[in-house]
Amino acid sequence: MLRAEDEFASISKDPRIAYALWAVLGIIGGHRFYLGDTGRSIAMLFTLGGLGVWTLLDGFFVGRRVRTVNHRRRAAVMARHGIIEPANPRHG
């Protein structure tokens, strides 16, 4: 269990970093690159954040996206180590 927790800690994403990237590089999708959303990042890069619209909207959703990414990564790590956790009611 400790090995799995260590592995997850090394790959989990920090919401403070995601928000900082959104604030500084949001128009070119920096926060989405950080979270691994490569396709959307490239779309934001070439459209300047959907002319700023996607960038503004992402400000409301960055925290939720970080939680979703971390939840999926944690589930994958735990599954690799044969640890089954109960489903989180907020994330299904």
Side-chain angles (χ1 to χ4, degrees):
M1 183 72 169
L2 290 176
R3 184 177 291 158
E5 289 290 345
D6 266 353
E7 184 179 337
F8 170 69
S10 72
I11 63 169
S12 66
K13 298 299 181 180
D14 186 341
R16 294 171 298 190
I17 293 173
Y19 273 111
L21 288 169
W22 170 77
V24 176
L25 299 172
I27 197 82
I28 60 171
H31 58 294
R32 289 203 176 260
F33 278 109
Y34 173 69
L35 295 172
D37 297 333
T38 308
R40 290 183 180 148
S41 304
I42 292 170
M44 287 185 80
L45 179 66
F46 288 114
T47 63
L48 293 178
L51 298 177
V53 175
W54 290 345
T55 304
L56 289 174
L57 291 175
D58 273 357
F60 296 104
F61 301 110
V62 170
R64 182 185 310 167
R65 184 68 186 135
V66 170
R67 284 190 300 275
T68 301
V69 166
N70 282 339
H71 178 72
R72 288 182 182 159
R73 287 176 177 223
R74 181 178 176 80
V77 167
M78 295 302 161
R80 266 195 310 272
H81 288 275
I83 301 167
I84 299 175
E85 294 185 314
N88 187 338
R90 288 180 55 195
H91 296 287

